[in-house]
Amino acid sequence: MRHTHAARIATAGLLAAGLATGLTATTPALAAPAQGAEGSAYGLKVDGPVSVPPVPAVSSTTGTVRRNLLRENHTKLIDASALNVSAAPARARSTVAKAAVPAAELLAEAVTAKCRDGQGSAHLARAVIAGKRLDASPPPNTTIPVDVEGLGRTSLTLNKQQRMADGRLAVTAVELRLPLPGKPATVRIASATCGDSAPMERPKEAPAPTPVEHNLPVTG
């Protein structure tokens, strides 16, 4: 006999179809989620002169939900070939393959953000910016200053981790700020959020940023 679990799905974007990958588990699969636990994830998001809402996006307070997108290239800021996201009450995962931000010469074979029971991590496969290899498993909140020719200085944050006001942890694998003329743009690649959504008295960002002392001139 086959059993199914009801799922609550919140999606953003109007794009469809893609490549699916599986969730990894580091704690027993039969453990009951904490009361009020919620997981959510998205593949890409762009804020700026030309915005892209979180795509694809999922959230769940019950069973596991998944969503896939074959490609996102609706703006010149970013191109990605396969986006896969999944979420359950206590965990979430987002993977973006062949991501590229041409203006900053940022390329990555794959970018992944994971969150499990309020703990997060990020992994970058063959990621480079301006020809410089990026750490495959960067510490939380690793910040790299970048000089973009014709635009000025900006910053790249890897494995950005923020404790939200409701107590959940949000992990964004890559966050790139671009000083575009008129209005800056922020590109976020692979984000996963999980944990108990009970309100916290003192929201905080954790842990403190880890600056990386490298100036990376970028042409483009």
Side-chain angles (χ1 to χ4, degrees), residues 140-141 159-164 169-171 203-209:
N141 298 311
N159 192 11
K160 183 174 183 178
Q161 299 194 15
Q162 294 176 291
R163 190 68 62 178
M164 301 174 66
L169 179 70
V171 183
K204 62 180 180 179
E205 181 171 322

Side-chain angles (χ1 to χ4, degrees), residues 142-165:
T142 296
T143 302
I144 302 172
V146 180
D147 290 322
V148 180
E149 185 174 332
L151 295 178
R153 171 155 289 198
T154 186
S155 63
L156 174 69
T157 303
L158 306 178
N159 192 11
K160 183 174 183 178
Q161 299 194 15
Q162 294 176 291
R163 190 68 62 178
M164 301 174 66

Side-chain angles (χ1 to χ4, degrees), residues 45 104 191:
K45 182 182 179 183
S191 184

Side-chain angles (χ1 to χ4, degrees), residues 89-128:
R91 65 185 186 273
R93 175 176 176 143
S94 174
T95 298
V96 178
K98 298 189 181 301
V101 182
E105 292 188 4
L106 174 63
L107 301 169
E109 280 295 313
V111 176
T112 299
K114 293 190 291 185
C115 188
R116 177 94 189 204
D117 296 325
Q119 301 295 320
S121 64
H123 183 79
L124 285 68
R126 297 182 181 178
V128 297

Side-chain angles (χ1 to χ4, degrees), residues 5-6 19-20 33 37 44 61 94 113 121 125 135 145 151 165 168 171 199 202 204:
H5 296 281
L19 174 71
L44 295 176
T61 57
S94 174
S121 64
D135 189 355
L151 295 178
R168 296 186 300 151
V171 183
R202 292 182 299 175
K204 62 180 180 179

Side-chain angles (χ1 to χ4, degrees), residues 8-9 17 20 29 43 51-52 67 92 109 117 133 138 140 166 169 177 199 219:
R8 185 184 305 168
I9 307 174
S51 297
V52 177
R67 190 170 176 84
E109 280 295 313
D117 296 325
R133 181 64 61 90
D166 63 5
L169 179 70
R177 297 184 182 276
T219 60

Side-chain angles (χ1 to χ4, degrees), residues 44-82:
L44 295 176
K45 182 182 179 183
V46 179
D47 295 317
V50 179
S51 297
V52 177
V55 291
V58 293
S59 67
S60 178
T61 57
T62 53
T64 299
V65 294
R66 296 180 175 86
R67 190 170 176 84
N68 312 300
L69 180 64
L70 181 61
R71 189 171 187 184
E72 170 54 53
N73 63 345
H74 280 60
T75 77
K76 295 181 179 180
L77 286 180
I78 188 165
D79 189 356
S81 294

